[in-house]
Amino acid sequence: MDKEERKTINQGQEDEMEIYGYNLSRWKIAIVSLGVICTGGFLLLLLYWMPEWRVKATCIRAAVKDCEVVLLRTTDEFRMWFCAKIRLLSLETHPFLSPKSTANKVSNGHAVRLIENPAEENRHELSKYPQTQLQQIRYFTHHSVKYFWNDTIHNFDFLKGLDEGVSCTSIYEKHSAGLTKGMHAYRKLLYGVNEITVKVPSVFKLLIKEVLNPFYIFQLFSVILWCTDEYYYYALAIVIMSIVSIVSSLYSIRKQYVMLHDMVAAHSTVRVSVCRVNEEIEEIFSTDLVPGDVMVIPLNGTIMPCDAVLINGTCIVNESMLTGESVPVTKTNLPNPSVDIKGMGDELYNPESHKRHTLFCGTTVIQTRFYTGELVKAVVVRTGFSTSKGQLVRSILYPKPTDFKLYRDAYLFLLCLVAVAGIGFVYTIINSILNKVEVGVIIIESLDIITITVPPALPAAMTAGIVYAQRRLKKIGIFCISPQRINICGQLNLVCFDKTGTLTEDGLDLWGIQRVENAQFLLPEENVCNEMLVKSQFVACMATCHSLTKIGGVLSGDPLDLKMFEAIGWILEEATEEETALHNRIMPTVVRPPKQLLPECIPAGNQEMELFELPAIYEIGIVRQFPFSSALQRMSVVARVLGDKKMDAYMKGAPEVIASLCKPETVPVDFEKVLEDFTKQGFRVIALAHRKLESKLTWHKVQNISRDTIENNMDFMGLIIMQNKLKQETPAVLEDLHKANIRTVMVTGDNMLTAVSVARDCGMILPQDKVIIAEALPPKDGKLAKINWHYADSLTQCSNSSAINSEAIPIKLVHDSLEDLQVTRYHFAMNGKSFSVILEHFQDLVPKLMLHGTVFARMAPDQKTQLVEALQNVDYFVGMCGDGANDCGALKRAHGGISLSELEASVASPFTSKTPSISCVPNLIREGRAALITSFCVFKFMALYSIIQYFSVTLLYSILSNLGDFQFLFIDLAIILVVVFTMSLNPAWKELVAQRPPSGLISGALLFSVLSQIIICIGFQSLGFFWVKQQPWYEVWHPHSDACNTTRSLYWNSSHLDNETELDEHNIQNYENTTVFFISSFQYLIVAIAFSKGKPFRQPCYKNYFFVVSVIILYVFILFIMLYPVASVDQVLEIVCVPYQWRVTMLIIVLVNAFVSIMVEASVNRWGKCCLSWALCCRKKMPKAKYMYLAQELLVDPEWPPKPQTTTEAKALVKENGSCQIITIT
């Protein structure tokens, strides 16, 4: 039954989960209730923390189909449990359900995707099901998504809109008319309200959730225990600390909720117009929209309340909310295959592949263009949390837990402390029984040892370093929305950079053009704005083939298009609303040159006059635009010169793509060589092409034609050469990263050779390094997938030497250190297409290519994310730095993502830099390293603190004594808290060093450091404890003891006589207690100094003035009260008088302890690594990180790197289970 009833939902997706069915069991609930009463509510808390136990303790297994409760478990490495209650959606109370068959289908779980044509559903299905079954649909909600029971797949599935399995044809034929009111109401019942709700929890709810944290429950238990033992002051101090901690935590959590709520709610409800079936237009609230509604986009624009696909007209949209790119994007209507001349087949609509026709939720429509009498319409495809914005908000509301070794080790360490506490617990019980102590006292004292061993201040201490680091980052203009990631940034050993706008300047400058005539390149020309070229097709293409638009009278659009249009000095005019209304077809955008003889633009006043001088006018109207697509790497337009019968098609884009769509006879023979020469020099090259269209193409036909029909059989016209300058700081920053042994990788959407050239210019690839280009080809015509390896010439070599001699093959360098293995002398470069082929067909090569892959060109946004994942799979800690434009996925996936864009898209990135410069990367890594080392220091210190105090108490328990209330208070508040919060203040070291901090607490050097300090502290404490008993003046202390001189003792005795009864009860005042208290107090400060590491990751501790001052004040105070007792202080701290000679002896013990501790810690730092590496060499231990292990393997692999001009093929061998094993042959 178990196996049979485990189902999987969201299969193959990021949020894939296993689902189990359960029904509530009365007898189990009764037993649990009894258990809760017997344990005083503790069992209830345990079940609250563990959803899996909660469900299993109160329910019995049932079929998923009929269950009342579902238990969900994620299939990722975290294996987290969630539970959800099954609810019923009742349809019987709604008489408006006109499409009854649809109701039947959904109520029985069929319609988990929208029924495309409800009116034409098979009517006979009604008779299939008994009427009683039609009333209710079963569903549950998890992470803001509703999952409905689906009978066809016998599983739960979330309700999809029109974004899956709906063809482009059916969007026009079946969905463009709108919905009837009945169908709309019915769908609204299923899909719910169209809003992305971020509920800000009430303070009370948040408080309960925060207080029920296991840590605070442990604190509550400690406080109750201390109160029963009359440790009121310390209990009060802990309560105050906890309240401060809870209040600050509540404030920050609530503040984040409010910020997110405000960001989402700013435009959650607007009034929209929708078309109904009978062509009437109804005004409704955006919250009432459902998939299938036809929304009218208003003229003056709007903020989109849902995801919708354009079916009429054109929109100009600002998508900065989602992409971080503030450049307006032109959206055109979805191609309609049914009226297309060529016919595209029945292509399925997909918001991602058809994003140039999709208006996304949260984006701003700036303005619209339309046909006369026809409204700009869009069909709603997704609503609420299903929209792109909803998914972004969900990823913020329910983030994946951060898996970092430090946190896992911290829990292990706490378990070790619990084990130590267990030993103390048992020892205390046995010792107390042997000494015939009362049962009540035994219980309190044995439980007390647990509260001493597991320090209540630990979480506050651990977060202090991160909070300080966050504050320092804010000062240098780096904002952080995920503070836990700061520590992870200290581990980064590879950083991916986007090229344009990140490594190079944002804007491009036009360097020149190189036209083609008679299939031959002419000489490069700098000035495009001249009389000779003004009527050429080349300039016409530059004037029309762009997505520029006027917003508020100012030209705006893609920076590349702007530079290109400015270079020719033409004028762009868009039709006004009045003009559009006068004509019976769409008014095109018109471009024209300035008055022929004048290169500069004519004054605005003359423009109207010139319209009447018909013979002199030369105008081009842009009839249809196919926007730029990063997948196709091109854009095209259909335009017509005023007075011409035939229309022209112009195309621009990546040279390789454009050349492949042109007639071969029009492409110059030396095209590849010329292109290579330009790209090697780091220029960005764009190719132009043109062709005359058939005269039979009318305006209306052009509006519905597919781009494939236009974009072929073109005439190649030449190249535009743009210059993309490196940012001034780029080479220096990359050099700093290389010196620190941090690998750098370039991920760009640009041309490969341009990217390689920029990589050489900025020092990512050194002049003497070799670049191996991996060109992977997918399987075709029965042939297997293969990779061709080419060696790119370095700039220093002659360009005409095409043959590469064998000496040019890179040599492998054998390094002493594993860390240096990555510094070898060859780099792989590949484009996005090759990367996809390699991921699919050459999985065994992926890790090898990741080890030396430096340039990844023409990468689509999802490929950038896949690259980050592939690098993480070989155990790299990956940083990603991008301008946010198309790097959102990669920024989120990387261990440390830094967005250089300050727009709302930075919500997707853990870090955002105020200044758009990559100098923030080394700063972030430095701060991350400092925060990580601070975390280690604090953790080690807190561990020592608990062990020192634990041992002090254990020693005193042996003589049935303990530390006094105010002694505990002084140690915990005056020493520990002050030290912890000031030792975290060390700023980061000035520069990045090659050494990296350890990633976890369970490392040889760290454990050796902690254990050696524990042994030293225990040793010196024991020495003091047992040595005091050997003193000639020693006796078991009583109020009249006279170890000091007589006059002093008179004073002492009189001051303490009135407390006699209280002292006898707890036996706190004695010589052992005083000795242990003074020695342990100094030990806390000694280990604080020993563990306060400075170089190479933090500034030395003497520069941390707060820490230095605090430690000096504490040292002086403790020394003073030890050597020169003050009666009032001694009375409060319950210290007894000991001879001066013993005070000096204690001082000597403390000084020797300090010397030994600091020397041992210094030698662990200096020699620990050498001893460790020597031990590893003896054991021949393999390195932990996969990439290091791989680097070792490749050093002895004779076939790697691949030889020049060779090919690697994928061979598929069918195994018994039918899967393919891939073997590469060279």
Side-chain angles (χ1 to χ4, degrees):
M1 159 112 180
D2 199 321
K3 265 192 175 177
E4 189 182 285
E5 277 312 309
R6 185 177 76 185
K7 293 182 181 291
T8 305
I9 55 173
N10 303 332
Q11 204 146 10
Q13 293 173 41
E14 206 179 339
D15 52 353
E16 183 180 277
M17 288 179 290
E18 291 169 356
I19 180 168
Y20 305 85
Y22 284 88
N23 281 339
L24 286 167
S25 160
R26 284 183 182 177
W27 63 269
K28 276 193 171 186
I29 292 171
I31 292 170
V32 168
S33 306
L34 190 68
V36 168
I37 294 162
C38 294
T39 57
F42 182 70
L43 180 63
L44 193 66
L45 272 175
L46 205 62
L47 297 181
Y48 169 77
W49 294 328
M50 313 288 278
E52 177 199 4
W53 294 9
R54 179 163 78 244
V55 172
K56 287 181 178 175
T58 55
C59 306
I60 49 172
R61 284 300 299 268
V64 176
K65 185 182 178 183
D66 309 310
C67 63
E68 297 169 7
V69 177
V70 287
L71 190 59
L72 306 161
R73 181 165 73 168
T74 59
T75 55
D76 56 14
E77 68 270 29
F78 303 106
R79 315 287 283 168
M80 288 173 72
W81 290 94
F82 301 95
C83 65
K85 200 174 178 186
I86 297 289
R87 299 182 185 280
L88 296 172
L89 180 66
S90 181
L91 299 175
E92 58 192 341
T93 51
H94 298 278
F96 53 69
L97 300 182
S98 52
K100 284 184 181 169
S101 56
T102 309
N104 306 338
K105 279 197 141 192
V106 181
S107 59
N108 289 283
H110 284 298
V112 182
R113 183 178 296 119
L114 262 186
I115 289 82
E116 290 192 1
N117 198 351
E120 292 170 27
E121 286 292 313
N122 297 333
R123 299 281 175 187
H124 70 270
E125 288 207 13
L126 260 175
S127 56
K128 273 195 194 176
Y129 307 104
Q131 199 60 36
T132 51
Q133 283 187 4
L134 303 180
Q135 310 308 321
Q136 294 174 323
I137 312 171
R138 304 162 53 75
Y139 75 96
F140 68 89
T141 307
H142 173 69
H143 284 181
S144 303
V145 175
K146 277 184 185 176
Y147 294 86
F148 288 86
W149 176 255
N150 184 336
D151 260 349
T152 39
I153 59 168
H154 294 287
N155 201 350
F156 282 96
D157 201 359
F158 63 90
L159 204 59
K160 298 174 181 72
L162 298 179
D163 55 320
E164 272 184 50
V166 179
S167 65
C168 295
T169 314
S170 66
I171 282 184
Y172 275 99
E173 290 178 359
K174 299 173 183 173
H175 297 290
S176 59
L179 300 173
T180 60
K181 285 193 178 180
M183 194 63 202
H184 174 270
Y186 164 68
R187 282 192 188 174
K188 194 183 169 200
L189 184 70
L190 279 177
Y191 284 95
V193 179
N194 168 37
E195 60 180 350
I196 300 165
T197 43
V198 178
K199 286 178 183 166
V200 179
S202 66
V203 176
F204 180 72
K205 259 189 184 175
L206 278 175
L207 181 70
I208 296 296
K209 201 174 174 183
E210 191 70 17
V211 168
L212 292 182
N213 179 317
F215 167 69
Y216 288 122
I217 295 297
F218 175 67
Q219 279 198 336
L220 182 69
F221 160 75
S222 305
V223 166
I224 293 167
L225 185 71
W226 293 327
C227 289
T228 58
D229 205 15
E230 295 172 14
Y231 289 168
Y232 300 120
Y233 299 106
Y234 186 46
L236 183 67
I238 286 293
V239 166
I240 291 168
M241 238 172 69
S242 299
I243 289 171
V244 169
S245 173
I246 289 170
V247 167
S248 65
S249 179
L250 283 186
Y251 174 74
S252 61
I253 293 171
R254 192 172 161 82
K255 190 179 168 189
Q256 279 181 335
Y257 269 114
V258 169
M259 272 172 63
L260 192 58
H261 175 267
D262 292 350
M263 186 190 103
V264 173
H267 36 253
S268 59
T269 310
V270 288
R271 291 192 80 85
V272 291
S273 301
V274 291
C275 299
R276 292 279 171 245
V277 170
N278 50 6
E279 294 196 3
E280 69 172 86
I281 291 189
E282 185 188 354
E283 199 169 277
I284 60 171
F285 281 111
S286 59
T287 46
D288 295 331
L289 286 171
V290 295
D293 265 331
V294 176
M295 179 182 166
V296 178
I297 313 291
L299 280 174
N300 53 353
T302 182
I303 290 169
M304 287 302 294
C306 58
D307 286 356
V309 59
L310 260 181
I311 53 168
N312 252 9
T314 308
C315 291
I316 292 150
V317 185
N318 181 343
E319 291 193 321
S320 62
M321 160 67 207
L322 288 179
T323 63
E325 185 68 89
S326 55
V327 172
V329 183
T330 304
K331 303 274 184 172
T332 56
N333 58 314
L334 186 75
N336 185 352
S338 57
V339 295
D340 181 12
I341 296 167
K342 188 180 167 192
M344 294 161 59
D346 214 9
E347 189 185 0
L348 288 179
Y349 166 72
N350 180 324
E352 197 47 50
S353 55
H354 292 101
K355 65 180 176 192
R356 283 291 179 177
H357 316 292
T358 307
L359 304 168
F360 292 105
C361 179
T363 60
T364 310
V365 178
I366 304 167
Q367 63 183 52
T368 59
R369 295 184 192 154
F370 52 92
Y371 291 96
T372 311
E374 287 198 42
L375 299 164
V376 178
K377 293 180 191 172
V379 177
V380 177
V381 288
R382 295 186 294 206
T383 55
F385 276 102
S386 304
T387 61
S388 45
K389 183 182 174 185
Q391 286 161 5
L392 177 68
V393 172
R394 274 184 69 215
S395 71
I396 298 165
L397 278 176
Y398 314 106
K400 261 193 163 186
T402 314
D403 182 37
F404 188 42
K405 204 163 178 288
L406 172 72
Y407 304 124
R408 277 178 291 161
D409 288 355
Y411 286 118
L412 262 175
F413 211 86
L414 277 175
L415 280 175
C416 293
L417 287 178
V418 169
V420 170
I423 297 165
F425 180 77
V426 172
Y427 163 77
T428 309
I429 291 173
I430 293 167
N431 184 54
S432 302
I433 290 169
L434 291 175
N435 286 293
K436 298 187 173 67
V437 178
E438 288 174 34
V439 177
V441 177
I442 293 177
I443 292 169
I444 288 171
E445 288 195 342
S446 53
L447 288 174
D448 196 25
I449 203 108
I450 294 173
T451 66
I452 287 164
T453 321
V454 183
L458 185 64
M462 288 292 282
T463 49
I466 295 172
V467 170
Y468 295 146
Q470 194 175 359
R471 220 181 271 168
R472 287 196 297 270
L473 283 172
K474 200 172 179 180
K475 274 184 188 168
I476 54 173
I478 300 170
F479 297 95
C480 170
I481 58 164
S482 177
Q484 299 297 345
R485 294 268 183 131
I486 297 174
N487 270 345
I488 301 175
C489 286
Q491 280 295 311
L492 296 184
N493 50 12
L494 183 146
V495 184
C496 297
F497 290 98
D498 181 39
K499 184 179 78 70
T500 314
T502 306
L503 296 172
T504 58
E505 294 290 352
D506 226 342
L508 290 155
D509 297 317
L510 187 81
W511 179 85
I513 62 167
Q514 190 153 14
R515 293 185 298 132
V516 168
E517 274 183 19
N518 304 324
Q520 287 189 323
F521 277 114
L522 303 178
L523 290 170
E525 298 161 83
E526 268 187 54
N527 187 14
V528 196
C529 190
N530 63 37
E531 294 172 48
M532 303 287 290
L533 295 174
V534 80
K535 287 198 176 185
S536 67
Q537 296 288 10
F538 194 96
V539 169
C541 183
M542 287 175 76
T544 56
C545 198
H546 53 70
S547 54
L548 299 177
T549 183
K550 276 193 172 171
I551 296 170
V554 180
L555 263 188
S556 63
D558 188 275
L560 187 142
D561 287 349
L562 267 173
K563 272 279 186 294
M564 196 174 75
F565 194 72
E566 282 166 10
I568 55 169
W570 281 41
I571 301 156
L572 179 134
E573 287 179 352
E574 288 180 334
T576 61
E577 284 176 43
E578 293 78 29
E579 284 176 310
T580 313
L582 290 171
H583 296 77
N584 60 354
R585 55 174 169 241
I586 195 166
M587 272 295 284
T589 298
V590 173
V591 289
R592 54 190 173 83
K595 221 169 192 180
Q596 309 307 335
L597 300 172
L598 301 171
E600 72 275 354
C601 295
I602 53 169
N606 294 359
Q607 284 184 16
E608 284 184 39
M609 261 173 52
E610 208 187 28
L611 287 172
F612 300 104
E613 298 168 12
L614 287 172
I617 272 182
Y618 175 68
E619 278 186 352
I620 306 174
I622 303 168
V623 181
R624 174 86 197 270
Q625 192 187 84
F626 298 101
F628 176 78
S629 155
S630 52
L632 300 173
Q633 297 176 10
R634 63 180 185 266
M635 80 163 288
S636 56
V637 292
V638 176
R640 175 143 82 180
V641 178
L642 190 70
D644 274 15
K645 284 185 180 175
K646 291 185 177 181
M647 293 191 194
D648 297 276
Y650 296 106
M651 178 166 66
K652 75 158 197 242
E656 313 94 323
V657 177
I658 300 296
S660 68
L661 296 169
C662 289
K663 297 174 196 160
E665 63 271 19
T666 64
V667 180
V669 185
D670 57 348
F671 163 74
E672 285 182 4
K673 183 187 172 300
V674 170
L675 175 63
E676 197 174 330
D677 286 347
F678 282 125
T679 51
K680 271 187 182 169
Q681 293 171 60
F683 290 119
R684 178 141 180 208
V685 184
I686 291 147
L688 306 183
H690 158 260
R691 81 173 162 106
K692 280 269 181 213
L693 296 176
E694 304 83 6
S695 51
K696 64 177 182 181
L697 270 178
T698 61
W699 281 58
H700 196 75
K701 276 183 182 171
V702 166
Q703 295 310 319
N704 295 305
I705 201 166
S706 80
R707 70 189 293 169
D708 293 351
T709 316
I710 299 287
E711 294 173 344
N712 61 41
N713 222 18
M714 311 280 270
D715 294 337
F716 191 79
M717 288 201 299
L719 306 170
I720 297 176
I721 299 106
M722 314 286 278
Q723 202 172 13
N724 193 199
K725 292 179 186 137
L726 269 183
K727 283 187 179 173
Q728 206 177 340
E729 67 278 1
T730 297
V733 169
L734 294 184
E735 194 183 351
D736 285 351
L737 293 173
H738 288 161
K739 279 181 187 169
N741 262 347
I742 293 167
R743 245 186 83 189
T744 50
V745 169
M746 187 191 292
V747 196
T748 176
D750 208 342
N751 170 290
M752 165 118 60
L753 291 171
T754 305
V756 170
S757 164
V758 171
R760 283 196 185 278
D761 290 347
C762 65
M764 205 177 265
I765 298 173
L766 299 174
Q768 68 274 20
D769 292 358
K770 287 274 160 243
V771 177
I772 307 169
I773 293 173
E775 184 198 1
L777 304 168
K780 200 177 180 185
D781 305 331
K783 289 179 184 172
L784 293 161
K786 61 178 181 179
I787 305 174
N788 296 325
W789 307 99
H790 308 291
Y791 277 46
D793 290 343
S794 62
L795 285 174
T796 50
Q797 286 180 310
C798 301
S799 55
N800 57 6
S801 62
S802 56
I804 297 171
N805 53 12
S806 57
E807 288 88 50
I809 296 170
I811 44 169
K812 294 178 182 176
L813 305 176
V814 182
H815 294 274
D816 303 330
S817 147
L818 284 175
E819 290 292 326
D820 292 341
L821 280 170
Q822 50 192 292
V823 190
T824 49
R825 292 181 53 187
Y826 61 94
H827 304 260
F828 289 107
M830 67 193 77
N831 61 24
K833 283 180 186 168
S834 296
F835 179 68
S836 292
V837 172
I838 290 167
L839 273 187
E840 195 177 339
H841 300 283
F842 296 89
Q843 284 164 353
D844 57 334
L845 280 185
V846 173
K848 294 181 183 181
L849 291 170
M850 289 305 107
L851 201 63
H852 293 291
T854 302
V855 175
F856 296 85
R858 296 277 186 234
M859 295 285 274
D862 59 325
Q863 288 173 331
K864 291 185 178 185
T865 312
Q866 287 169 342
L867 174 68
V868 169
E869 280 174 358
L871 289 163
Q872 287 171 335
N873 288 343
V874 286
D875 292 347
Y876 275 113
F877 280 91
V878 183
M880 171 79 198
C881 181
D883 55 1
N886 48 6
D887 309 312
C888 279
L891 287 167
K892 267 167 73 178
R893 186 53 52 91
H895 290 109
I898 316 159
S899 165
L900 301 185
S901 150
E902 266 200 279
L903 294 150
E904 282 178 301
S906 55
V907 168
S909 174
F911 300 95
T912 306
S913 173
K914 203 175 182 182
T915 48
S917 150
I918 64 165
S919 53
C920 62
V921 175
N923 287 338
L924 178 64
I925 296 173
R926 281 190 308 106
E927 286 297 347
R929 288 178 173 188
L932 189 57
I933 288 300
T934 300
S935 294
F936 288 144
C937 293
V938 168
F939 211 95
K940 283 161 70 177
F941 175 70
M942 292 304 281
L944 257 291
Y945 146 61
S946 61
I947 294 293
I948 291 169
Q949 198 172 71
Y950 165 77
F951 198 72
S952 302
V953 172
T954 310
L955 280 176
L956 293 173
Y957 274 3
S958 69
I959 58 160
L960 302 182
S961 177
N962 199 350
L963 289 171
D965 196 358
F966 279 99
Q967 288 176 342
F968 272 124
L969 203 61
F970 175 73
I971 291 169
D972 290 326
L973 294 188
I975 301 180
I976 303 306
L977 281 190
V978 170
V979 166
V980 156
F981 289 117
T982 55
M983 83 187 291
S984 304
L985 283 167
N986 285 33
W989 185 244
K990 302 185 281 289
E991 55 197 43
L992 272 180
V993 291
Q995 190 187 340
R996 262 202 310 278
S999 59
L1001 285 164
I1002 316 293
S1003 70
L1006 248 148
L1007 285 177
F1008 185 66
S1009 161
V1010 170
L1011 289 172
S1012 58
Q1013 293 300 332
I1014 287 174
I1015 291 163
I1016 293 164
C1017 291
I1018 286 176
F1020 282 100
Q1021 253 195 68
S1022 306
L1023 176 70
F1025 181 79
F1026 292 113
W1027 198 4
V1028 73
K1029 292 183 176 183
Q1030 309 304 317
Q1031 299 306 308
W1033 47 265
Y1034 175 81
E1035 61 177 343
V1036 175
W1037 192 89
H1038 53 84
H1040 305 287
S1041 291
D1042 188 17
C1044 305
N1045 58 45
T1046 329
T1047 51
R1048 285 286 298 274
S1049 70
L1050 281 170
Y1051 160 74
W1052 272 77
N1053 293 344
S1054 63
S1055 69
H1056 285 304
L1057 273 172
D1058 37 326
N1059 293 342
E1060 197 174 328
T1061 51
E1062 191 189 326
L1063 299 177
D1064 289 340
E1065 191 184 334
H1066 284 296
N1067 187 24
I1068 283 162
Q1069 285 183 314
N1070 53 56
Y1071 299 122
E1072 291 94 330
N1073 169 294
T1074 301
T1075 304
V1076 166
F1077 171 72
F1078 278 126
I1079 292 174
S1080 67
S1081 293
F1082 277 111
Q1083 282 180 337
Y1084 298 123
L1085 296 174
I1086 290 164
V1087 292
I1089 292 168
F1091 286 157
S1092 266
K1093 292 214 174 56
K1095 268 180 81 173
F1097 305 116
R1098 305 197 306 166
Q1099 298 274 7
C1101 62
Y1102 59 77
K1103 288 212 177 162
N1104 181 352
Y1105 305 118
F1106 285 107
F1107 177 67
V1108 172
V1109 170
S1110 307
V1111 169
I1112 288 172
I1113 290 171
L1114 284 166
Y1115 261 125
V1116 169
F1117 177 74
I1118 301 167
L1119 259 177
F1120 184 75
I1121 62 168
M1122 187 171 89
L1123 297 177
Y1124 301 99
V1126 179
S1128 55
V1129 173
D1130 286 357
Q1131 189 178 343
V1132 169
L1133 289 176
E1134 298 175 82
I1135 296 168
V1136 299
C1137 177
V1138 291
Y1140 189 77
Q1141 168 198 348
W1142 179 243
R1143 295 170 193 278
V1144 174
T1145 309
M1146 282 196 291
L1147 180 60
I1148 292 165
I1149 291 173
V1150 166
L1151 289 173
V1152 175
N1153 184 348
F1155 177 77
V1156 173
S1157 284
I1158 287 164
M1159 289 311 291
V1160 166
E1161 186 63 20
S1163 57
V1164 166
N1165 288 347
R1166 184 165 295 179
W1167 308 110
K1169 200 166 185 185
C1170 304
C1171 299
L1172 214 67
S1173 55
W1174 175 79
L1176 288 178
C1177 290
C1178 293
R1179 288 168 54 197
K1180 288 278 180 225
K1181 191 183 174 195
M1182 294 313 297
K1184 282 183 186 172
K1186 284 181 197 163
Y1187 71 88
M1188 288 186 187
Y1189 172 69
L1190 203 61
Q1192 276 188 352
E1193 272 192 346
L1194 294 183
L1195 277 177
V1196 292
D1197 186 348
E1199 294 298 319
W1200 198 261
K1203 308 284 183 290
Q1205 316 302 326
T1206 56
T1207 300
T1208 302
E1209 281 191 357
K1211 268 199 174 179
L1213 294 178
V1214 180
K1215 289 205 244 168
E1216 288 166 28
N1217 61 1
S1219 67
C1220 289
Q1221 183 188 9
I1222 294 155
I1223 294 175
T1224 55
I1225 55 158
T1226 306

